[in-house]
Amino acid sequence: MLFKKGAEANLYLETWYGKKIIRKYRYKKAYRIEELDFQLRRSRTFHEAKLLLEARKIGVPTPFIYMIDVKNTSIYMDYIEGNQLKKDMNHLINKNLICEKVGEKIGLLHSNDIIHGDLTTSNIIIAKNGIIYFIDFGLGGFSSSLEDKGVDLHLIKKALESTHYKFADECFDAILTGYKRIVGAEFLQNIKVKITEIESRGRYFQR
Amino acid sequence: MKICLGIESTAHTLGIGVINSEGKILKQVQKTFIPEIGGGIHPRKAAEHHFKYARELIKEVKNSNNFNLKDINYVAFSQGPGLGVCLRVGAVIARTLHQTLNIPLIGVNHCLAHLEIGKLFCDAKDPICVYTSGGNTQIIGFDGGRYRVFGETLDIPIGNMLDVFSREAHLQHPGGPKVEKLAKLSNKFVELPYTVKGMDFSFSGLLTAAINKLEAGEKLEDMCFSIQEVSFGMLVEVTERALAHTEKNEVLLTGGVAANLRLQEMLKIMAEEHGATFYVVPKQVAGDNGAMIAWTGLLQANYRQFLKIDESNVLPKWRIDEIEIPWIN
Ligand SMILES: Nc1ncnc2c1ncn2[C@@H]1O[C@H](COP(=O)(O)OP(=O)(O)O)[C@@H](O)[C@H]1O
Ligand SMILES: [Mg+2]
């Protein structure tokens, strides 16, 4: 059963030996040439599965993976019952607490050199039992560079600004508070400087 | 009926346009600075160019028989973002007209002007805008009183990437049209870095790799083909995500790179898959021009957004998402 149609994948709700699971299938894009298209879908499927596993190992909740089928660009994983943070954000009473927790998890990812690559409030699920899950690692990778980590945080900041602009600042500050708990004050300072630099870069390019 | 004169001078083009409140362009003139082969845009040289031609362009506008200089109600200029020295030329002309004609002065954001003129000419209501030029690459949509930037380049703009590549390949400036022409001669895909990070993208890794591969002996037309496929692929992918995210049903392509037929084709395929209508800004107002500044000036004039001379400093880093937009609800 088609559960959700994403911008690059269809998510099907299926059963796997009696258990509810999600099959994420990255579909073909007609606007791209076949060669580039398949290469991208394959590598994203592979990377996503790998990062979901790695993140889980270091204590960042992600759906458990049952199978990857790289050729058919599909990942079979646990179905997480809950809501996207994006949907919950507007009526959460403990917004700041949740954001701090999100920040801690991002801190964990980064201190293990895992870059999420697409940090938005659609890619964070608050499960019914309150656990905060991270999904959609297809654009992620491993990196120890301050730049890549800075871009990751810049992305969530922007996602907040474009979809939750009424309390974006407050939420981002809470995320950094949680982040600091894991990475320490010194690293936080460095990454803040980096984020400012990244933001000033996109503005206007001096040729 | 109101008439506005607009001046554009953010980068290599000095343009003056006159438009009325029905959206009819009464006059449009421009001069573009063209660097020698192998040279980039030098801000100071471009500014000197603008100063040199300012008088001539104003004279042409004055001699138009569609209107009289005294019929003009407002003067608008491109206040930013852009190259400081170039922006200042437009500001000086605008202030002069403001004082000699005794009409209100309006500061317009250059990116906003690209979007508004595109919406006017395409009759688009609430599109996701793909704004691509030599100085900017952004995916923009209106939400909650402002235009929001959903995705943008993390380093260089796409037009600049194409220009620098062409320069390295000894093609004439501007590079975009040359790359497009050569790309049509090939269908051999050479792998290049495809960098999408969240909703943002980056073209510098692609540029470096493309130059290296060219030097290593790959054929120029194959590189042109592959550069287009990869860089446009990145743009369309992010546009698609913005479209899905906002659930809007229009896509508008604007800015200088909008003229590229392959980019148009890719966006059209994507938009139609989402049941959205695809629009591309007409060539006449696609690149930097004065008419778009004039039109946006008229929109702002309805809300009396007039500047005093001492508020009319240029803003080289002015972002579109800093501006409250009262004319859209
Ligand atoms: N394992 C899962 N359990 C529950 N819901 C999921 C799961 N994976 C994805 N989803 C839902 O589907 C949406 C799209 O999935 P995602 O992996 O983010 O793909 P896309 O790349 O298309 O954004 C998510 O925002 C989430 O709501
Ligand atoms: Mg997602």
Side-chain angles (χ1 to χ4, degrees):
Chain A
M1 184 193 83
L2 184 63
F3 167 69
K4 244 175 203 159
K5 201 167 158 46
E8 66 163 343
N10 282 340
L11 289 109
Y12 298 93
L13 194 54
E14 296 177 353
T15 43
W16 179 272
Y17 298 102
K19 222 174 150 12
K20 267 191 189 169
I21 64 145
I22 289 279
R23 176 164 68 92
K24 176 169 181 174
Y25 166 63
R26 286 192 157 76
Y27 55 82
K28 219 176 116 150
K29 299 276 174 184
Y31 65 81
R32 290 195 290 237
I33 54 167
E34 185 98 33
E35 245 174 302
L36 174 61
D37 184 65
F38 183 62
Q39 186 190 307
L40 283 172
R41 290 189 292 133
R42 191 183 50 192
S43 97
R44 286 180 185 176
T45 302
F46 177 77
H47 272 100
E48 170 153 32
K50 193 164 160 86
L51 290 168
L52 282 167
L53 283 169
E54 289 299 322
R56 180 171 245 272
K57 271 193 213 156
I58 58 156
V60 174
T62 63
F64 183 81
I65 295 179
Y66 294 96
M67 190 171 94
I68 15 175
D69 183 349
V70 174
K71 232 168 88 197
N72 292 308
T73 58
S74 296
I75 301 177
Y76 297 71
M77 62 185 138
D78 252 337
Y79 168 58
I80 310 297
E81 256 191 278
N83 277 330
Q84 291 175 327
L85 178 57
K86 177 183 160 190
K87 296 259 159 66
D88 275 359
M89 194 64 128
N90 293 319
H91 40 260
L92 274 177
I93 5 169
N94 53 349
K95 243 183 232 85
N96 284 4
L97 190 69
I98 299 278
C99 287
E100 279 180 30
K101 282 191 182 162
V102 167
E104 283 178 11
K105 303 294 182 212
I106 301 173
L108 263 179
L109 291 173
H110 285 185
S111 46
N112 287 281
D113 290 342
I114 297 176
I115 308 299
H116 182 281
D118 191 13
L119 282 175
T120 64
T121 48
S122 310
N123 291 333
I124 297 170
I125 305 179
I126 315 277
K128 282 224 172 104
N129 57 12
I131 296 178
I132 301 171
Y133 282 86
F134 282 66
I135 58 164
D136 206 1
F137 283 75
L139 299 174
F142 294 98
S143 165
S144 58
S145 88
L146 192 63
E147 165 83 20
D148 290 332
K149 294 173 186 176
V151 168
D152 236 11
L153 285 170
H154 161 73
L155 293 179
I156 187 94
K157 183 175 176 193
K158 267 194 31 178
L160 291 168
E161 282 166 359
S162 60
T163 37
H164 311 281
Y165 34 87
K166 287 194 194 98
F167 32 78
D169 290 346
E170 189 189 328
C171 288
F172 189 63
D173 284 345
I175 286 178
L176 290 184
T177 305
Y179 190 77
K180 180 177 161 196
R181 256 177 235 144
I182 307 295
V183 301
E186 194 188 329
F187 190 81
L188 179 77
Q189 200 43 45
N190 295 342
I191 202 121
K192 273 182 158 172
V193 171
K194 193 74 199 178
I195 296 171
T196 312
E197 188 214 308
I198 293 164
E199 285 170 350
S200 71
R201 237 187 280 154
R203 301 202 162 194
Y204 193 81
F205 185 66
Q206 292 270 332
R207 286 174 281 199
Chain B
M1 174 93 72
K2 298 287 185 191
I3 297 180
C4 182
L5 178 146
I7 302 160
E8 158 59 33
S9 73
T10 45
H12 53 289
T13 298
L14 173 68
I16 302 180
V18 179
I19 202 165
N20 69 19
S21 40
E22 281 174 353
K24 181 164 187 284
I25 296 180
L26 305 175
K27 186 77 186 175
Q28 167 149 294
V29 291
Q30 58 206 42
K31 271 275 182 226
T32 299
F33 170 70
I34 299 174
E36 338 48 289
I37 293 187
I41 287 193
H42 192 295
R44 191 177 42 79
K45 283 192 182 154
E48 280 167 9
H49 162 273
H50 296 351
F51 262 120
K52 192 168 144 210
Y53 289 103
R55 203 179 290 268
E56 191 179 303
L57 292 189
I58 293 281
K59 211 164 164 187
E60 257 187 82
V61 172
K62 259 189 197 161
N63 293 340
S64 163
N65 33 26
N66 288 343
F67 59 91
N68 235 310
L69 215 51
K70 67 168 177 25
D71 300 334
I72 293 173
N73 303 93
Y74 312 107
V75 55
F77 71 107
S78 205
Q79 200 175 4
L83 303 167
V85 282
C86 295
L87 287 168
R88 260 171 242 133
V89 181
V92 167
I93 304 172
R95 288 182 203 126
T96 311
L97 291 174
H98 157 65
Q99 286 184 318
T100 52
L101 300 176
N102 195 22
I103 50 176
L105 177 67
I106 303 167
V108 171
N109 179 288
H110 174 89
C111 308
L112 176 62
H114 270 292
L115 306 197
E116 291 298 349
I117 199 81
K119 280 166 58 188
L120 172 70
F121 275 78
C122 297
D123 202 18
K125 299 285 172 296
D126 182 23
I128 286 292
C129 307
V130 183
Y131 168 41
T132 60
S133 70
N136 298 274
T137 305
Q138 294 178 321
I139 312 297
I140 301 168
F142 186 84
D143 188 17
R146 289 180 192 213
Y147 283 101
R148 312 274 164 186
V149 177
F150 290 105
E152 66 192 305
T153 178
L154 288 163
D155 40 53
I156 56 175
I158 192 162
N160 180 254
M161 183 272 291
L162 293 169
D163 288 346
V164 175
F165 176 79
S166 329
R167 201 148 77 211
E168 294 293 322
H170 306 290
L171 301 170
Q172 213 177 350
H173 186 90
K178 307 282 178 318
V179 171
E180 179 174 19
K181 216 165 142 191
L182 287 164
K184 284 200 188 103
L185 305 174
S186 163
N187 56 11
K188 184 182 161 217
F189 183 65
V190 181
E191 227 177 277
L192 290 170
Y194 182 107
T195 323
V196 171
K197 298 184 178 181
M199 299 279 276
D200 290 336
F201 30 78
S202 141
F203 298 112
S204 64
L206 164 68
L207 174 61
T208 313
I211 293 172
N212 289 342
K213 291 202 170 182
L214 185 68
E215 281 170 358
E218 292 286 355
K219 278 167 64 187
L220 180 57
E221 51 266 40
D222 297 340
M223 293 318 301
C224 290
F225 172 72
S226 308
I227 286 173
Q228 287 202 154
E229 289 306 315
V230 173
S231 62
F232 296 166
M234 284 153 54
L235 269 185
V236 179
E237 176 175 353
V238 172
T239 310
E240 178 172 35
R241 296 167 71 194
L243 194 65
H245 177 81
T246 57
E247 295 173 7
K248 292 188 191 288
N249 51 27
E250 297 171 319
V251 175
L252 171 67
L253 175 61
T254 178
V257 188
N260 188 295
L261 294 178
R262 176 61 180 145
L263 178 57
Q264 291 181 15
E265 176 186 50
M266 288 167 80
L267 281 168
K268 187 160 193 282
I269 295 171
M270 183 281 289
E272 281 171 0
E273 271 175 9
H274 288 263
T277 314
F278 172 68
Y279 301 102
V280 57
V281 64
K283 218 170 179 149
Q284 166 202 20
V285 286
D288 292 354
N289 65 86
M292 67 181 194
I293 303 298
W295 174 247
T296 312
L298 280 175
L299 296 173
Q300 292 179 219
N302 290 335
Y303 296 87
R304 306 195 60 77
Q305 297 181 352
F306 303 137
L307 292 177
K308 298 200 184 77
I309 294 246
D310 60 9
E311 298 164 335
S312 67
N313 287 342
V314 300
L315 306 168
K317 296 200 164 189
W318 194 14
R319 280 180 71 86
I320 192 170
D321 48 12
E322 294 170 22
I323 309 166
E324 301 275 354
I325 309 290
W327 56 85
I328 308 176
N329 43 43

